[in-house]
Amino acid sequence: MQQQKPKRIPYGMQNWQDVRQRNCYYVDKTMYLPMIEAADDYFFFIRPRRFGKTLLINMLEHYYDVQKADLFDELFGDLWIGKHPTEGHNKYLVLYLNFSAFSGSLDDYQERMDDYCNLEFESFVRRYAKYLPSNAGRRAVA
């Protein structure tokens, strides 16, 4: 009889795919996805530090991102949402912005944020090029 490796505690982990593939504990909260879809347009997640906000957002990215559809069964198959998927699963182009990725003083904060968003948008256009119109990402010339 082969003994199973004990599950790891995903302390500090922010990547949903890593949590699922590295045999970490996860309290299944996916049954709330239909409620999130049915709710208002905006959410404000108020939780203390280290309460899994980033992991939750990353899980939503993996659930909705069209390019992650081939991972659906592996990452969600044994969870509630894997057995009850919504129409929206893996149907969207997801632009993920991580504002903790840059820092700056108040003097140059807007410039740094603009630079970061421009880089992320350019990466997004390259990543999803096959789903976008051929002129997507081109800047209008006045």
Side-chain angles (χ1 to χ4, degrees), residues 45-142:
F45 290 104
I46 302 174
R47 305 299 296 161
R49 291 182 60 162
R50 313 304 272 162
F51 253 71
K53 294 179 296 293
T54 303
L55 183 59
L56 173 65
I57 297 300
N58 192 263
M59 182 265 292
L60 294 172
E61 175 188 0
H62 281 81
Y63 182 74
Y64 289 109
D65 195 329
V66 68
Q67 287 193 322
K68 297 187 168 80
D70 59 330
L71 296 171
F72 183 79
D73 288 335
E74 178 183 359
L75 301 180
F76 296 98
D78 62 334
L79 300 177
W80 186 90
I81 201 70
K83 296 173 178 81
H84 310 91
T86 64
E87 287 184 26
H89 91 83
N90 300 116
K91 297 282 191 275
Y92 298 97
L93 309 181
V94 176
L95 174 61
Y96 181 81
L97 299 173
N98 179 1
F99 293 117
S100 69
F102 68 93
S103 62
S105 67
L106 291 177
D107 298 329
D108 68 347
Y109 195 76
Q110 181 174 353
E111 181 181 341
R112 299 284 308 262
M113 182 180 278
D114 288 345
D115 291 344
Y116 170 75
C117 289
N118 283 330
L119 287 172
E120 289 300 312
F121 182 70
E122 289 170 10
S123 174
F124 172 84
V125 170
R126 283 191 304 275
R127 195 168 49 249
Y128 293 103
K130 69 180 181 182
Y131 302 101
L132 298 171
S134 60
N135 64 346
R138 292 187 190 152
R139 296 180 187 233
V141 179

